[in-house]
Structures are given as structure tokens and as C-alpha cells.
């Protein structure tokens, strides 16, 4: 999965394709998410899913992080599209962005996904266009979600 994020051909528009292979379907095993499929929905370049035993009567906890990164600029001293490790440090476009948060929140969602007796629902959202406050980012998908009672944003 990390090498996919370091691939220069992977952008905020293609990350959802790395996560899934259809606009609505199941999260792909190719990103090593789970031996069991997790149904999800896609809105533009945002991916979201609900815990297996989602119950409309329970409060909703949103687990959200973004998967896009800033565009490279002229001040880069290394090629931003060529990830390198130098003296134990990783350099490359997005190497110090929200990847750890995204993976941590996704791992948390996976851990609780098929728990039957949660006191709340979990909604995982991998949102797009955070870096540019784009109209097709989280602003466009929140209206499609149920009421959020609490959110953890990474």
C-alpha cells in the first residue's frame, strides 16, 4: 500500500481507484484491507463505508482523513515524484501528509467493522480535495451521510 502512495501516477483522483476498482462495490483486497469484503460507496473521489451492523437508532462516529496531497512547487530540492530515503528520512510528495492518519483510522474501522454490539455506528470516510478546499471534497459528501454525532479527523 505504501508503494502505491509513493507511485507518481497516483493522485487525489486515482487514490480511490487504488482503494477500489468500481464506483460502488467492495473494497479491494489489493490494498490488503481485509480477507472479507467491506461494502462502500464512492462520491466523486471520496470513499465512505459503514460498520457491518449499522443501526439508524445509534449515534454515528465519523472516522475521516484525506488522501490527497499538495501539488509540487518550484521550491522542491528533490524530485517530488521520486521517493527517496536519505539518512533514515523519506522524501517525496505527500511523505509527511495524512497517510498515517488515514491508515490508522482505516485500521480502527476494520477492527470494529463486524462487531455486533457496538453502542454507536462507525462511518469511515477517505476524503478528497482537502489540500485545496475543493468543492468535490468533504463538503460534497457530508450531505450524503447520516447525522454525525462525533468525529475523529486525522
Amino acid at each position: 500500500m505504501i508503494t502505491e502512495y509513493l507511485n507518481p501516477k497516483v493522485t487525489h483522483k486515482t487514490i480511490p481507484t487504488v482503494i477500489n476498482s468500481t464506483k460502488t462495490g467492495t473494497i479491494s483486497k489489493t490494498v490488503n484491507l481485509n480477507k472479507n469484503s467491506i461494502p462502500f460507496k464512492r462520491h466523486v473521489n471520496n470513499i465512505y463505508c459503514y460498520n457491518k451492523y449499522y443501526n439508524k437508532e445509534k449515534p454515528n462516529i465519523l472516522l475521516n482523513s484525506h488522501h490527497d496531497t499538495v501539488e509540487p512547487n518550484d521550491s522542491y530540492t528533490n524530485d517530488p515524484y521520486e521517493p527517496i530515503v536519505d539518512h533514515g528520512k523519506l522524501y517525496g510528495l505527500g511523505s509527511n501528509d495524512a497517510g498515517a492518519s488515514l491508515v490508522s483510522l482505516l485500521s480502527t474501522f476494520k477492527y470494529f467493522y463486524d462487531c455486533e454490539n457496538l453502542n454507536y455506528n462507525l462511518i469511515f470516510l477517505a476524503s478528497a480535495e482537502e489540500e485545496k478546499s475543493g468543492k468535490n471534497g468533504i463538503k460534497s459528501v457530508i450531505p450524503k451521510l447520516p447525522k454525525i454525532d462525533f468525529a475523529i479527523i486525522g
Side-chain angles (χ1 to χ4, degrees):
M1 184 167 160
I2 289 173
T3 56
E4 290 165 328
Y5 281 99
L6 298 177
N7 182 335
K9 294 179 179 153
V10 175
T11 68
H12 76 280
K13 293 181 180 176
T14 60
I15 290 278
T17 305
V18 172
I19 294 173
N20 68 288
S21 57
T22 61
K23 289 188 178 185
T24 303
T26 55
I27 294 176
S28 168
K29 291 181 188 176
T30 59
V31 281
N32 196 21
L33 293 178
N34 199 332
K35 289 182 181 177
N36 301 313
S37 297
I38 298 175
F40 70 92
K41 295 182 181 183
R42 177 177 179 170
H43 176 68
V44 192
N45 293 312
N46 304 282
I47 299 290
Y48 60 101
C49 46
Y50 304 92
N51 58 291
K52 187 173 185 176
Y53 298 99
Y54 182 88
N55 180 334
K56 290 180 183 180
E57 303 302 315
K58 294 180 179 181
N60 296 306
I61 298 176
L62 175 67
L63 306 176
N64 169 244
S65 189
H66 68 98
H67 58 75
D68 62 326
T69 188
V70 295
E71 297 290 326
N73 60 51
D74 293 337
S75 67
Y76 276 79
T77 55
N78 296 317
D79 181 349
Y81 296 111
E82 284 296 320
I84 60 167
V85 176
D86 184 23
H87 294 86
K89 293 183 181 177
L90 175 64
Y91 294 90
L93 190 61
S95 61
N96 65 344
D97 208 328
S101 299
L102 184 66
V103 171
S104 297
L105 292 169
L106 180 56
S107 294
T108 300
F109 177 81
K110 281 181 49 184
Y111 181 84
F112 290 106
Y113 170 73
D114 59 2
C115 293
E116 289 188 56
N117 298 313
L118 296 176
N119 293 327
Y120 45 81
N121 296 307
L122 289 177
I123 303 168
F124 174 77
L125 170 61
S127 55
E129 298 190 17
E130 182 271 347
E131 297 293 353
K132 62 180 185 177
S133 300
K135 66 178 181 175
N136 292 319
I138 194 168
K139 287 190 271 187
S140 72
V141 74
I142 288 293
K144 298 182 174 305
L145 301 177
K147 177 183 175 270
I148 304 300
D149 298 285
F150 182 81
I152 300 172
I153 311 294

